[in-house]
């Protein structure tokens, strides 16, 4: 079924969703869309990398009545009781809570494991115990490791290159075993470099797109790791929100216990991305003086090229990305200009 049809059905037959990591980038976009569809939403976050102001942004973007369908639990998924309490009377879990970033996991594998593996196991177990109907979770393109194959196809992964990738791979193993042992329906989404509004531009582990946009808007230096010919399948947030909702409601039994590439299916180099952001910002804000990028060493644990084959998600989930990189970039830039420039 098409996404627009699904949205109409959800509006007339609302469900209860638990979104973990709701104060983060992807989680806050998920709750915004769900609340706009008049769903009942429980959010859980420990504010380790998420922010109250993301929740405030959502509140200010939707109607009062829609916001009244939201309840928030401040808690940590590494605590099993918290997971058990938050999954009560929930239809669908969208598990986004995790510590992102490959370099963060290389710096401190133990804390990444705590949220991403222990927390994940707590969540999927609690969801099963409370008879949640569907468990959708954030996996990552990092599970492709050193595989050189392009585009990446779900069944062919390489050797893992970081503790972060290990955590996401373990999630997929648990998904498979929970289906075999308990018949528990979960679906993994292997996100490829997601970008869009509310992605954090700050901190040592910020993703490239918001970090660059923020640096350019603030007249700061922009760094490119390596020669800039590293390429990625940059995926706009709306596509990721769609994939989560499609996975959350699908009745296709073929779709369960699988991990899906969640991407736009394109590929762009860092050099071209830098040029596209710079040109677009200079067009919008002619007074802005953006310096040339500074090149530095490649980053440990990074894969060279990434590009997804998205056929499996299209066929089994009915996923149809609505935004390519350029379309997503224009929407994101408009938001960052307003947010970063507007706050000065
Ligand atoms: P984010 O850091 O903005 O959001 C993660 C949220 O989870 C934060 O609000 C954080 O406070 C919360 N959190 C972390 N550990 C927690 C815990 N133990 N208990 C409760 N809350 C906890 O990151 P994001 O980009 O929104 O990522 C969301 C998910 O998507 C993560 O699982 C991440 O690994 C995955 N992912 C993201 C990308 C991407 O490009 N952004 C790519 C691949 C996978």
């Amino acid at each position: 079924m098409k996404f627009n049809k699904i949205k109409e059905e959800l509006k007339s037959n609302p469900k209860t969703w638990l979104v973990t990591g709701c104060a983060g980038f992807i989680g806050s976009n998920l709750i915004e869309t769900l609340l706009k569809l008049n769903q009942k939403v429980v959010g859980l976050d420990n504010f380790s990398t998420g922010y109250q102001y993301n929740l405030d942004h959502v509140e200010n973007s939707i109607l009062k009545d829609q916001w009244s369908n939201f309840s928030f639990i401040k808690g940590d998924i590494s605590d099993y009781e918290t997971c058990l309490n938050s999954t009560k009377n929930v239809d669908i879990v969208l598990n986004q809570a995790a510590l992102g970033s490959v370099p963060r996991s290389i710096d401190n594998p133990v804390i990444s494991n705590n949220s991403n593996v222990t927390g994940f196991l707590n969540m999927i177990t609690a969801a099963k115990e409370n008879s949640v109907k569907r468990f959708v979770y954030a996996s990552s393109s990092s599970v492709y490791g050193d595989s050189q194959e392009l585009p990446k196809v779900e069944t062919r992964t390489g050797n893992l290159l970081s503790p972060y990738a290990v955590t996401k791979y373990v999630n997929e193993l648990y998904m498979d075993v929970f289906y075999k042992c308990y018949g528990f329906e979960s679906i993994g989404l292997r996100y490829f470099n997601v970008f869009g509004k509310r992605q954090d531009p700050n901190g040592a582990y910020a993703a490239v797109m918001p970090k660059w946009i923020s640096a350019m808007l603030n007249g700061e230096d922009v760094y490119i790791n390596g020669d800039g010919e590293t390429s990625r399948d940059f995926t706009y947030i709306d596509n990721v929100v769609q994939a989560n909702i499609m996975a959350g409601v699908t009745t296709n039994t073929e779709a369960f216990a699988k991990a899906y590439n969640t991407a736009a299916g394109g590929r762009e180099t860092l050099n071209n991305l830098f040029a596209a952001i710079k040109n677009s910002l200079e067009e919008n804000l002619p007074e802005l003086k953006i310096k040339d990028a500074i090149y530095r060493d490649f980053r440990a644990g990074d894969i060279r090229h990434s590009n997804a084959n998205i056929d499996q998600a299209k066929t089994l989930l009915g996923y149809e990305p609505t935004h390519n990189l350029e379309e997503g970039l224009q929407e994101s830039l408009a938001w960052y200009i307003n947010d970063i420039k507007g706050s000065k």
Side-chain angles (χ1 to χ4, degrees), residues 52-84:
Q52 176 62 45
Y53 59 71
N54 283 338
L55 299 176
D56 297 342
H57 266 134
V58 174
E59 182 176 3
N60 293 330
S61 316
I62 65 176
L63 303 172
K64 250 199 167 82
D65 276 1
Q66 294 170 331
W67 183 249
S68 71
N69 286 326
F70 180 64
S71 56
F72 178 68
I73 300 169
K74 183 169 187 281
D76 197 306
I77 61 167
S78 64
D79 175 54
Y80 183 65
E81 285 303 310
T82 301
C83 298
L84 210 50

Side-chain angles (χ1 to χ4, degrees), residues 229-255:
E229 289 307 300
T230 297
S231 65
R232 292 287 180 267
D233 194 335
F234 292 101
T235 307
Y236 188 53
I237 184 65
D238 285 22
N239 299 331
V240 170
V241 168
Q242 183 200 136
N244 271 276
I245 294 176
M246 298 299 265
V249 301
T250 185
T251 51
N252 180 4
T253 52
E254 290 285 298

